[in-house]
Amino acid sequence: MAATQKLACYRLPPLPTIGEIIKLYNLRAEKQLSQNFLLDMRLTDKIVRQAGNLKDAHVCEVGPGPGGLTRSILKAGAADVLVVEKDTRFMPGLQLLSEAAPGRMRIAHGDILTYRLEKGFPAHIAKTWEDVPPNLHIIGNLPFSVSTPLIIKWLEQMSNRTGSFMFGRTRLTLTFQKEVAERLTASTGSRQRSRLSVMAQYLCTVKSCFTIPGRAFVPKPIVDVGVVHFTPLAQPQIQQPFKLVEKIVKNAFQFRRKHCRRGLEMLFPECQRQELTEELLRSADVDPTLRPTEISISEFRALADAYSKLCEENQGLIDYEFREELKLKHQAKRRSGSSHKGLHL
Ligand code: SAM
């Protein structure tokens, strides 16, 4: 009897289907906002199951649109669902859903790239970083146009323990274009290994859950979609500032098919390039002939630690950007070219 009552409280009263909501409010998909809707509740339920047990959970859903995934989150027993949607056309449909789940759903009109999630949930749900994760989840069938900048922003916040990570190791269950999902989960040495793989995996356990064929969405995107689950690590595998790690990883992957030495060299000004690159690789004990895709996370850790030490010893090195040096050189060349022309005149 108790079990039946429990189940009943998660059930939503009869509502128009998502297809009917789309027709009712004339919700034509906007390409600009990467709108591809999921109408099949079995699929939205499956995405939500990847988040784990949502009973009494606080959830932020990114881009609820017509609300299919939102219904699955509410059905899974979440106590407090904050949905952040940029497109006001969805508000009446979301309002209908919120009335069907009184006190359990809050609607925010806003841009998830700037939305302050740290203000979205009560302080008492916070756990310390080393503790078990808080009962707070971020879930979203992400708009393709923002999925990569958004995950990079969240990884940086994870590293700094800001935003939704002020509450502890908040877990994320998100969709990406299949190719991006593959990059996020790619292991050392694999073809898809990239900057994104290293940046995500040094901070989280990243799990590829399943693939959704493009035909499951309305309208159908040209690519398939991967569902990825992230749990922040209690001990990040690299203990250096995010921006420093990002700089090393970006440089290392600059020449993907070449030896890693070639990209890492560009961390240093031309006048000290050979000497400091050798010192970096020697003190990190990394083989200069490895391809960027073959560098493991522990080797990236050694590179980050060695580079940080070199920055302490060489003033201004941390701010060095080879592109800036190159730009200045080009400008100087152009200037000297035009002053020559001036002489001829
Ligand atoms: N969750 C719905 C579903 O699964 O059917 C819709 C998913 S659709 C791929 C992406 C949703 O994100 C759309 O509703 C779109 O309006 C919204 N969106 C796009 N950019 C956004 C942004 N910067 N902030 C918040 N929502 C955004």
PDB file of all heavy atoms in Angstrom, residues 67-104:
ATOM      1  N   GLY A  67       9.047  20.509 -22.882  1.00  0.00           N
ATOM      2  CA  GLY A  67       8.922  19.898 -21.552  1.00  0.00           C
ATOM      3  C   GLY A  67       8.911  18.374 -21.473  1.00  0.00           C
ATOM      4  O   GLY A  67       8.557  17.817 -20.422  1.00  0.00           O
ATOM      5  N   GLY A  68       9.318  17.684 -22.540  1.00  0.00           N
ATOM      6  CA  GLY A  68       9.321  16.205 -22.497  1.00  0.00           C
ATOM      7  C   GLY A  68      10.247  15.657 -21.424  1.00  0.00           C
ATOM      8  O   GLY A  68       9.842  14.852 -20.564  1.00  0.00           O
ATOM      9  N   LEU A  69      11.498  16.128 -21.445  1.00  0.00           N
ATOM     10  CA  LEU A  69      12.483  15.652 -20.465  1.00  0.00           C
ATOM     11  C   LEU A  69      12.071  16.091 -19.048  1.00  0.00           C
ATOM     12  O   LEU A  69      12.245  15.355 -18.075  1.00  0.00           O
ATOM     13  CB  LEU A  69      13.848  16.250 -20.846  1.00  0.00           C
ATOM     14  CG  LEU A  69      15.105  15.615 -20.277  1.00  0.00           C
ATOM     15  CD1 LEU A  69      15.173  14.139 -20.597  1.00  0.00           C
ATOM     16  CD2 LEU A  69      16.356  16.315 -20.834  1.00  0.00           C
ATOM     17  N   THR A  70      11.467  17.277 -18.953  1.00  0.00           N
ATOM     18  CA  THR A  70      11.006  17.800 -17.653  1.00  0.00           C
ATOM     19  C   THR A  70       9.986  16.834 -17.042  1.00  0.00           C
ATOM     20  O   THR A  70      10.028  16.539 -15.842  1.00  0.00           O
ATOM     21  CB  THR A  70      10.342  19.190 -17.834  1.00  0.00           C
ATOM     22  OG1 THR A  70      11.010  19.890 -18.866  1.00  0.00           O
ATOM     23  CG2 THR A  70      10.357  19.975 -16.546  1.00  0.00           C
ATOM     24  N   ARG A  71       9.088  16.335 -17.867  1.00  0.00           N
ATOM     25  CA  ARG A  71       8.077  15.391 -17.347  1.00  0.00           C
ATOM     26  C   ARG A  71       8.755  14.149 -16.785  1.00  0.00           C
ATOM     27  O   ARG A  71       8.372  13.645 -15.719  1.00  0.00           O
ATOM     28  CB  ARG A  71       7.125  14.953 -18.476  1.00  0.00           C
ATOM     29  CG  ARG A  71       6.198  16.047 -18.892  1.00  0.00           C
ATOM     30  CD  ARG A  71       5.183  15.517 -19.902  1.00  0.00           C
ATOM     31  NE  ARG A  71       4.458  16.654 -20.474  1.00  0.00           N
ATOM     32  CZ  ARG A  71       3.335  16.560 -21.146  1.00  0.00           C
ATOM     33  NH1 ARG A  71       2.795  15.381 -21.352  1.00  0.00           N
ATOM     34  NH2 ARG A  71       2.741  17.627 -21.621  1.00  0.00           N
ATOM     35  N   SER A  72       9.784  13.662 -17.489  1.00  0.00           N
ATOM     36  CA  SER A  72      10.476  12.457 -17.014  1.00  0.00           C
ATOM     37  C   SER A  72      11.185  12.732 -15.688  1.00  0.00           C
ATOM     38  O   SER A  72      11.236  11.878 -14.818  1.00  0.00           O
ATOM     39  CB  SER A  72      11.487  11.977 -18.056  1.00  0.00           C
ATOM     40  OG  SER A  72      10.799  11.537 -19.199  1.00  0.00           O
ATOM     41  N   ILE A  73      11.757  13.941 -15.551  1.00  0.00           N
ATOM     42  CA  ILE A  73      12.460  14.306 -14.312  1.00  0.00           C
ATOM     43  C   ILE A  73      11.457  14.340 -13.153  1.00  0.00           C
ATOM     44  O   ILE A  73      11.702  13.808 -12.069  1.00  0.00           O
ATOM     45  CB  ILE A  73      13.186  15.673 -14.473  1.00  0.00           C
ATOM     46  CG1 ILE A  73      14.286  15.576 -15.530  1.00  0.00           C
ATOM     47  CG2 ILE A  73      13.761  16.150 -13.136  1.00  0.00           C
ATOM     48  CD1 ILE A  73      14.877  16.924 -15.971  1.00  0.00           C
ATOM     49  N   LEU A  74      10.292  14.931 -13.403  1.00  0.00           N
ATOM     50  CA  LEU A  74       9.264  15.017 -12.350  1.00  0.00           C
ATOM     51  C   LEU A  74       8.755  13.609 -12.006  1.00  0.00           C
ATOM     52  O   LEU A  74       8.592  13.264 -10.836  1.00  0.00           O
ATOM     53  CB  LEU A  74       8.111  15.913 -12.818  1.00  0.00           C
ATOM     54  CG  LEU A  74       8.447  17.416 -12.893  1.00  0.00           C
ATOM     55  CD1 LEU A  74       7.388  18.170 -13.697  1.00  0.00           C
ATOM     56  CD2 LEU A  74       8.572  18.019 -11.486  1.00  0.00           C
ATOM     57  N   LYS A  75       8.557  12.783 -13.041  1.00  0.00           N
ATOM     58  CA  LYS A  75       8.078  11.411 -12.810  1.00  0.00           C
ATOM     59  C   LYS A  75       9.079  10.601 -11.992  1.00  0.00           C
ATOM     60  O   LYS A  75       8.716   9.687 -11.270  1.00  0.00           O
ATOM     61  CB  LYS A  75       7.867  10.718 -14.165  1.00  0.00           C
ATOM     62  CG  LYS A  75       6.435  10.825 -14.646  1.00  0.00           C
ATOM     63  CD  LYS A  75       6.211  10.233 -16.027  1.00  0.00           C
ATOM     64  CE  LYS A  75       7.022   9.020 -16.365  1.00  0.00           C
ATOM     65  NZ  LYS A  75       7.045   8.645 -17.760  1.00  0.00           N
ATOM     66  N   ALA A  76      10.369  10.950 -12.123  1.00  0.00           N
ATOM     67  CA  ALA A  76      11.408  10.196 -11.392  1.00  0.00           C
ATOM     68  C   ALA A  76      11.465  10.599  -9.921  1.00  0.00           C
ATOM     69  O   ALA A  76      12.272  10.070  -9.170  1.00  0.00           O
ATOM     70  CB  ALA A  76      12.762  10.412 -12.060  1.00  0.00           C
ATOM     71  N   GLY A  77      10.659  11.572  -9.521  1.00  0.00           N
ATOM     72  CA  GLY A  77      10.551  11.889  -8.093  1.00  0.00           C
ATOM     73  C   GLY A  77      11.317  13.113  -7.633  1.00  0.00           C
ATOM     74  O   GLY A  77      11.433  13.333  -6.426  1.00  0.00           O
ATOM     75  N   ALA A  78      11.852  13.926  -8.580  1.00  0.00           N
ATOM     76  CA  ALA A  78      12.575  15.141  -8.156  1.00  0.00           C
ATOM     77  C   ALA A  78      11.624  16.052  -7.378  1.00  0.00           C
ATOM     78  O   ALA A  78      10.454  16.201  -7.744  1.00  0.00           O
ATOM     79  CB  ALA A  78      13.126  15.861  -9.374  1.00  0.00           C
ATOM     80  N   ALA A  79      12.147  16.656  -6.310  1.00  0.00           N
ATOM     81  CA  ALA A  79      11.297  17.492  -5.456  1.00  0.00           C
ATOM     82  C   ALA A  79      11.283  18.934  -5.933  1.00  0.00           C
ATOM     83  O   ALA A  79      10.340  19.668  -5.684  1.00  0.00           O
ATOM     84  CB  ALA A  79      11.811  17.425  -4.015  1.00  0.00           C
ATOM     85  N   ASP A  80      12.372  19.334  -6.616  1.00  0.00           N
ATOM     86  CA  ASP A  80      12.531  20.744  -6.972  1.00  0.00           C
ATOM     87  C   ASP A  80      13.263  20.820  -8.314  1.00  0.00           C
ATOM     88  O   ASP A  80      14.448  20.495  -8.386  1.00  0.00           O
ATOM     89  CB  ASP A  80      13.365  21.406  -5.854  1.00  0.00           C
ATOM     90  CG  ASP A  80      13.832  22.799  -6.227  1.00  0.00           C
ATOM     91  OD1 ASP A  80      13.046  23.543  -6.837  1.00  0.00           O
ATOM     92  OD2 ASP A  80      14.988  23.145  -5.888  1.00  0.00           O
ATOM     93  N   VAL A  81      12.527  21.195  -9.352  1.00  0.00           N
ATOM     94  CA  VAL A  81      13.117  21.256 -10.699  1.00  0.00           C
ATOM     95  C   VAL A  81      13.122  22.712 -11.178  1.00  0.00           C
ATOM     96  O   VAL A  81      12.070  23.332 -11.312  1.00  0.00           O
ATOM     97  CB  VAL A  81      12.318  20.373 -11.697  1.00  0.00           C
ATOM     98  CG1 VAL A  81      13.000  20.356 -13.062  1.00  0.00           C
ATOM     99  CG2 VAL A  81      12.149  18.963 -11.172  1.00  0.00           C
ATOM    100  N   LEU A  82      14.327  23.227 -11.393  1.00  0.00           N
ATOM    101  CA  LEU A  82      14.467  24.582 -11.918  1.00  0.00           C
ATOM    102  C   LEU A  82      14.785  24.463 -13.405  1.00  0.00           C
ATOM    103  O   LEU A  82      15.818  23.882 -13.773  1.00  0.00           O
ATOM    104  CB  LEU A  82      15.624  25.300 -11.195  1.00  0.00           C
ATOM    105  CG  LEU A  82      16.093  26.625 -11.810  1.00  0.00           C
ATOM    106  CD1 LEU A  82      15.016  27.703 -11.707  1.00  0.00           C
ATOM    107  CD2 LEU A  82      17.379  27.117 -11.133  1.00  0.00           C
ATOM    108  N   VAL A  83      13.890  24.964 -14.263  1.00  0.00           N
ATOM    109  CA  VAL A  83      14.156  24.872 -15.700  1.00  0.00           C
ATOM    110  C   VAL A  83      14.602  26.243 -16.200  1.00  0.00           C
ATOM    111  O   VAL A  83      14.019  27.265 -15.823  1.00  0.00           O
ATOM    112  CB  VAL A  83      12.923  24.352 -16.495  1.00  0.00           C
ATOM    113  CG1 VAL A  83      12.542  22.952 -16.061  1.00  0.00           C
ATOM    114  CG2 VAL A  83      11.724  25.278 -16.379  1.00  0.00           C
ATOM    115  N   VAL A  84      15.667  26.255 -17.015  1.00  0.00           N
ATOM    116  CA  VAL A  84      16.180  27.527 -17.549  1.00  0.00           C
ATOM    117  C   VAL A  84      16.017  27.500 -19.070  1.00  0.00           C
ATOM    118  O   VAL A  84      16.659  26.678 -19.752  1.00  0.00           O
ATOM    119  CB  VAL A  84      17.661  27.741 -17.167  1.00  0.00           C
ATOM    120  CG1 VAL A  84      18.162  29.088 -17.694  1.00  0.00           C
ATOM    121  CG2 VAL A  84      17.860  27.651 -15.660  1.00  0.00           C
ATOM    122  N   GLU A  85      15.143  28.354 -19.586  1.00  0.00           N
ATOM    123  CA  GLU A  85      14.827  28.346 -21.021  1.00  0.00           C
ATOM    124  C   GLU A  85      14.964  29.757 -21.585  1.00  0.00           C
ATOM    125  O   GLU A  85      14.511  30.726 -20.991  1.00  0.00           O
ATOM    126  CB  GLU A  85      13.399  27.804 -21.213  1.00  0.00           C
ATOM    127  CG  GLU A  85      12.852  27.884 -22.623  1.00  0.00           C
ATOM    128  CD  GLU A  85      13.696  27.160 -23.669  1.00  0.00           C
ATOM    129  OE1 GLU A  85      13.857  25.939 -23.554  1.00  0.00           O
ATOM    130  OE2 GLU A  85      14.196  27.843 -24.599  1.00  0.00           O
ATOM    131  N   LYS A  86      15.592  29.823 -22.772  1.00  0.00           N
ATOM    132  CA  LYS A  86      15.854  31.125 -23.387  1.00  0.00           C
ATOM    133  C   LYS A  86      14.662  31.635 -24.212  1.00  0.00           C
ATOM    134  O   LYS A  86      14.490  32.834 -24.379  1.00  0.00           O
ATOM    135  CB  LYS A  86      17.080  30.963 -24.287  1.00  0.00           C
ATOM    136  CG  LYS A  86      17.698  32.251 -24.737  1.00  0.00           C
ATOM    137  CD  LYS A  86      19.025  31.982 -25.406  1.00  0.00           C
ATOM    138  CE  LYS A  86      19.650  33.244 -25.925  1.00  0.00           C
ATOM    139  NZ  LYS A  86      20.913  32.999 -26.600  1.00  0.00           N
ATOM    140  N   ASP A  87      13.891  30.695 -24.740  1.00  0.00           N
ATOM    141  CA  ASP A  87      12.842  31.047 -25.696  1.00  0.00           C
ATOM    142  C   ASP A  87      11.492  31.192 -24.980  1.00  0.00           C
ATOM    143  O   ASP A  87      10.945  30.205 -24.474  1.00  0.00           O
ATOM    144  CB  ASP A  87      12.792  29.923 -26.756  1.00  0.00           C
ATOM    145  CG  ASP A  87      11.863  30.235 -27.893  1.00  0.00           C
ATOM    146  OD1 ASP A  87      11.014  31.143 -27.752  1.00  0.00           O
ATOM    147  OD2 ASP A  87      11.961  29.560 -28.936  1.00  0.00           O
ATOM    148  N   THR A  88      10.961  32.424 -24.968  1.00  0.00           N
ATOM    149  CA  THR A  88       9.717  32.691 -24.202  1.00  0.00           C
ATOM    150  C   THR A  88       8.507  31.945 -24.763  1.00  0.00           C
ATOM    151  O   THR A  88       7.519  31.768 -24.053  1.00  0.00           O
ATOM    152  CB  THR A  88       9.384  34.202 -24.211  1.00  0.00           C
ATOM    153  OG1 THR A  88       9.419  34.642 -25.566  1.00  0.00           O
ATOM    154  CG2 THR A  88      10.361  34.996 -23.372  1.00  0.00           C
ATOM    155  N   ARG A  89       8.565  31.500 -26.007  1.00  0.00           N
ATOM    156  CA  ARG A  89       7.399  30.818 -26.590  1.00  0.00           C
ATOM    157  C   ARG A  89       7.016  29.567 -25.803  1.00  0.00           C
ATOM    158  O   ARG A  89       5.902  29.088 -25.872  1.00  0.00           O
ATOM    159  CB  ARG A  89       7.685  30.419 -28.047  1.00  0.00           C
ATOM    160  CG  ARG A  89       7.881  31.577 -29.000  1.00  0.00           C
ATOM    161  CD  ARG A  89       8.207  31.063 -30.376  1.00  0.00           C
ATOM    162  NE  ARG A  89       9.299  30.114 -30.330  1.00  0.00           N
ATOM    163  CZ  ARG A  89       9.420  29.067 -31.151  1.00  0.00           C
ATOM    164  NH1 ARG A  89       8.530  28.832 -32.077  1.00  0.00           N
ATOM    165  NH2 ARG A  89      10.454  28.244 -31.036  1.00  0.00           N
ATOM    166  N   PHE A  90       8.018  28.996 -25.052  1.00  0.00           N
ATOM    167  CA  PHE A  90       7.735  27.753 -24.334  1.00  0.00           C
ATOM    168  C   PHE A  90       7.075  27.989 -22.971  1.00  0.00           C
ATOM    169  O   PHE A  90       6.660  27.033 -22.315  1.00  0.00           O
ATOM    170  CB  PHE A  90       9.033  26.953 -24.127  1.00  0.00           C
ATOM    171  CG  PHE A  90       9.599  26.436 -25.419  1.00  0.00           C
ATOM    172  CD1 PHE A  90      10.809  26.897 -25.891  1.00  0.00           C
ATOM    173  CD2 PHE A  90       8.903  25.495 -26.162  1.00  0.00           C
ATOM    174  CE1 PHE A  90      11.329  26.439 -27.088  1.00  0.00           C
ATOM    175  CE2 PHE A  90       9.405  25.035 -27.369  1.00  0.00           C
ATOM    176  CZ  PHE A  90      10.627  25.509 -27.832  1.00  0.00           C
ATOM    177  N   MET A  91       7.022  29.254 -22.538  1.00  0.00           N
ATOM    178  CA  MET A  91       6.562  29.534 -21.165  1.00  0.00           C
ATOM    179  C   MET A  91       5.138  29.022 -20.876  1.00  0.00           C
ATOM    180  O   MET A  91       4.938  28.384 -19.851  1.00  0.00           O
ATOM    181  CB  MET A  91       6.686  31.035 -20.843  1.00  0.00           C
ATOM    182  CG  MET A  91       8.121  31.543 -20.891  1.00  0.00           C
ATOM    183  SD  MET A  91       9.179  30.623 -19.755  1.00  0.00           S
ATOM    184  CE  MET A  91      10.760  30.721 -20.560  1.00  0.00           C
ATOM    185  N   PRO A  92       4.135  29.260 -21.755  1.00  0.00           N
ATOM    186  CA  PRO A  92       2.788  28.776 -21.423  1.00  0.00           C
ATOM    187  C   PRO A  92       2.727  27.248 -21.237  1.00  0.00           C
ATOM    188  O   PRO A  92       2.107  26.762 -20.295  1.00  0.00           O
ATOM    189  CB  PRO A  92       1.941  29.212 -22.629  1.00  0.00           C
ATOM    190  CG  PRO A  92       2.729  30.290 -23.286  1.00  0.00           C
ATOM    191  CD  PRO A  92       4.159  30.027 -23.008  1.00  0.00           C
ATOM    192  N   GLY A  93       3.422  26.508 -22.107  1.00  0.00           N
ATOM    193  CA  GLY A  93       3.437  25.038 -21.992  1.00  0.00           C
ATOM    194  C   GLY A  93       4.112  24.597 -20.707  1.00  0.00           C
ATOM    195  O   GLY A  93       3.660  23.666 -20.021  1.00  0.00           O
ATOM    196  N   LEU A  94       5.190  25.286 -20.342  1.00  0.00           N
ATOM    197  CA  LEU A  94       5.916  24.938 -19.105  1.00  0.00           C
ATOM    198  C   LEU A  94       5.066  25.291 -17.886  1.00  0.00           C
ATOM    199  O   LEU A  94       5.062  24.568 -16.887  1.00  0.00           O
ATOM    200  CB  LEU A  94       7.273  25.658 -19.069  1.00  0.00           C
ATOM    201  CG  LEU A  94       8.296  25.181 -20.108  1.00  0.00           C
ATOM    202  CD1 LEU A  94       9.511  26.104 -20.146  1.00  0.00           C
ATOM    203  CD2 LEU A  94       8.745  23.737 -19.809  1.00  0.00           C
ATOM    204  N   GLN A  95       4.318  26.387 -18.001  1.00  0.00           N
ATOM    205  CA  GLN A  95       3.432  26.800 -16.911  1.00  0.00           C
ATOM    206  C   GLN A  95       2.382  25.723 -16.645  1.00  0.00           C
ATOM    207  O   GLN A  95       2.103  25.372 -15.489  1.00  0.00           O
ATOM    208  CB  GLN A  95       2.760  28.140 -17.324  1.00  0.00           C
ATOM    209  CG  GLN A  95       2.145  28.925 -16.190  1.00  0.00           C
ATOM    210  CD  GLN A  95       3.133  29.212 -15.061  1.00  0.00           C
ATOM    211  OE1 GLN A  95       4.252  29.608 -15.316  1.00  0.00           O
ATOM    212  NE2 GLN A  95       2.708  28.960 -13.819  1.00  0.00           N
ATOM    213  N   LEU A  96       1.844  25.164 -17.725  1.00  0.00           N
ATOM    214  CA  LEU A  96       0.848  24.085 -17.626  1.00  0.00           C
ATOM    215  C   LEU A  96       1.430  22.905 -16.841  1.00  0.00           C
ATOM    216  O   LEU A  96       0.795  22.342 -15.950  1.00  0.00           O
ATOM    217  CB  LEU A  96       0.495  23.654 -19.052  1.00  0.00           C
ATOM    218  CG  LEU A  96      -0.824  22.943 -19.292  1.00  0.00           C
ATOM    219  CD1 LEU A  96      -1.974  23.908 -19.075  1.00  0.00           C
ATOM    220  CD2 LEU A  96      -0.863  22.419 -20.740  1.00  0.00           C
ATOM    221  N   LEU A  97       2.674  22.574 -17.169  1.00  0.00           N
ATOM    222  CA  LEU A  97       3.348  21.450 -16.511  1.00  0.00           C
ATOM    223  C   LEU A  97       3.616  21.760 -15.042  1.00  0.00           C
ATOM    224  O   LEU A  97       3.433  20.915 -14.162  1.00  0.00           O
ATOM    225  CB  LEU A  97       4.667  21.174 -17.261  1.00  0.00           C
ATOM    226  CG  LEU A  97       5.476  19.953 -16.855  1.00  0.00           C
ATOM    227  CD1 LEU A  97       4.619  18.705 -16.858  1.00  0.00           C
ATOM    228  CD2 LEU A  97       6.666  19.771 -17.804  1.00  0.00           C
ATOM    229  N   SER A  98       3.998  22.996 -14.779  1.00  0.00           N
ATOM    230  CA  SER A  98       4.292  23.403 -13.404  1.00  0.00           C
ATOM    231  C   SER A  98       3.021  23.326 -12.533  1.00  0.00           C
ATOM    232  O   SER A  98       3.078  22.935 -11.365  1.00  0.00           O
ATOM    233  CB  SER A  98       4.894  24.800 -13.432  1.00  0.00           C
ATOM    234  OG  SER A  98       4.602  25.504 -12.310  1.00  0.00           O
ATOM    235  N   GLU A  99       1.871  23.647 -13.139  1.00  0.00           N
ATOM    236  CA  GLU A  99       0.609  23.561 -12.388  1.00  0.00           C
ATOM    237  C   GLU A  99       0.231  22.108 -12.112  1.00  0.00           C
ATOM    238  O   GLU A  99      -0.436  21.802 -11.123  1.00  0.00           O
ATOM    239  CB  GLU A  99      -0.515  24.268 -13.159  1.00  0.00           C
ATOM    240  CG  GLU A  99      -0.443  25.781 -12.983  1.00  0.00           C
ATOM    241  CD  GLU A  99      -1.109  26.560 -14.104  1.00  0.00           C
ATOM    242  OE1 GLU A  99      -1.960  25.979 -14.815  1.00  0.00           O
ATOM    243  OE2 GLU A  99      -0.745  27.748 -14.284  1.00  0.00           O
ATOM    244  N   ALA A 100       0.702  21.212 -12.992  1.00  0.00           N
ATOM    245  CA  ALA A 100       0.399  19.789 -12.792  1.00  0.00           C
ATOM    246  C   ALA A 100       1.297  19.172 -11.720  1.00  0.00           C
ATOM    247  O   ALA A 100       1.042  18.057 -11.259  1.00  0.00           O
ATOM    248  CB  ALA A 100       0.573  19.046 -14.114  1.00  0.00           C
ATOM    249  N   ALA A 101       2.367  19.875 -11.348  1.00  0.00           N
ATOM    250  CA  ALA A 101       3.286  19.367 -10.316  1.00  0.00           C
ATOM    251  C   ALA A 101       3.490  20.469  -9.283  1.00  0.00           C
ATOM    252  O   ALA A 101       4.580  21.041  -9.191  1.00  0.00           O
ATOM    253  CB  ALA A 101       4.611  18.956 -10.961  1.00  0.00           C
ATOM    254  N   PRO A 102       2.437  20.799  -8.511  1.00  0.00           N
ATOM    255  CA  PRO A 102       2.492  21.998  -7.667  1.00  0.00           C
ATOM    256  C   PRO A 102       3.676  21.994  -6.706  1.00  0.00           C
ATOM    257  O   PRO A 102       3.976  20.976  -6.068  1.00  0.00           O
ATOM    258  CB  PRO A 102       1.165  21.963  -6.888  1.00  0.00           C
ATOM    259  CG  PRO A 102       0.364  20.847  -7.448  1.00  0.00           C
ATOM    260  CD  PRO A 102       1.196  20.040  -8.379  1.00  0.00           C
ATOM    261  N   GLY A 103       4.380  23.129  -6.666  1.00  0.00           N
ATOM    262  CA  GLY A 103       5.493  23.319  -5.729  1.00  0.00           C
ATOM    263  C   GLY A 103       6.760  22.580  -6.106  1.00  0.00           C
ATOM    264  O   GLY A 103       7.755  22.620  -5.381  1.00  0.00           O
ATOM    265  N   ARG A 104       6.773  21.893  -7.260  1.00  0.00           N
ATOM    266  CA  ARG A 104       7.960  21.087  -7.593  1.00  0.00           C
ATOM    267  C   ARG A 104       8.725  21.632  -8.793  1.00  0.00           C
ATOM    268  O   ARG A 104       9.776  21.094  -9.135  1.00  0.00           O
ATOM    269  CB  ARG A 104       7.548  19.638  -7.875  1.00  0.00           C
ATOM    270  CG  ARG A 104       6.956  18.938  -6.653  1.00  0.00           C
ATOM    271  CD  ARG A 104       6.381  17.579  -7.036  1.00  0.00           C
ATOM    272  NE  ARG A 104       7.390  16.702  -7.586  1.00  0.00           N
ATOM    273  CZ  ARG A 104       7.102  15.667  -8.385  1.00  0.00           C
ATOM    274  NH1 ARG A 104       5.861  15.399  -8.732  1.00  0.00           N
ATOM    275  NH2 ARG A 104       8.076  14.917  -8.864  1.00  0.00           N
TER     276      ARG A 104
END
